[in-house]
Amino acid sequence: MLSLGRRGLWLGLAAAAAATMAARLMGWWSPRADFRLFIPEELARYRGRPGDPGLYLALLGRVYDVSSGRRHYEPGAHYSGFAGRDASRAFVTGDYSEGGLVDDVSDLSFSEMLTLQSWLSFYEKNYEFIGRVTGRFYGEDGLPTPELTQAEAMITKGLEANKQELKEKQKFPPCNAEWSSTRGSRFWCSQRSGGVSRDWIGVPRKLFKPGAKEPHCVCVRTTGPPSDQTPDNPTHRNRGDLDHPNLEEYTGCPPLAITCYVPL
């Protein structure tokens, strides 16, 4: 029986997969009429060796002609193991052994799938799309398999998680931090701390995130309404986000100080 957390994850993936399928039906993933369909044994002939018909590689089942980057993929080159096959997993893991140069991405995390998407965007931009290879991601009819739909759903969820993380970072920008062997740790806030430009400075607080082992320092707005205030509750105490339940003050640090010291 699935736990509530894991059940929620799979429900989220199912929703993302449904959205992916809907996107295809709406034309966002329209197949190219002139694409070529390879079987793995045929693709294996395209490794850039003398007498080979070309130099191709596949990523998530999509085949690209990488002849223009021959020095990277030809026999003996650093990425030669990618040629003539779909080694999607190795793009993320960096495992270039025969056991690692495979197309199984089923256990990769959301962030790892986003890395894979970045590589896919790179090949779409820089190399010619040739076709698809049958197997894990495309069937013999050239249509996407459930495994490809699942991979795309993971990418969609990863993008959503990134968006939420960015929103959280705008709300609670990370503190500036430094450590000294004589004074311990110093945390402070500025209008650009955490790489987030804003018109307020904020004060350091410990932010406890669900599932995280340790809190981390964030800068918290001290005036105005809370960031998550709903329109139907216009009253507030003009304390910004100071009353957020996941925040905690640093011991010994004045509540409104923009710099806090944590001694050794």
Side-chain angles (χ1 to χ4, degrees), residues 57-93:
L57 63 73
L59 181 57
L60 290 181
R62 297 175 64 82
V63 179
Y64 298 92
D65 183 345
V66 293
S67 300
S68 61
R70 173 173 293 277
R71 64 189 180 92
H72 300 296
Y73 305 102
E74 65 185 353
H78 187 65
Y79 299 114
S80 61
F82 289 95
R85 69 174 97 195
D86 188 328
S88 294
R89 185 180 186 84
F91 279 95
V92 175
T93 65

Side-chain angles (χ1 to χ4, degrees), residues 201-222:
I201 296 176
V203 296
R205 288 290 188 273
K206 298 178 186 177
L207 175 64
F208 293 83
K209 286 189 174 183
K213 293 182 179 180
E214 299 289 340
H216 66 278
C217 183
V218 297
C219 295
V220 180
R221 190 165 48 82
T222 60

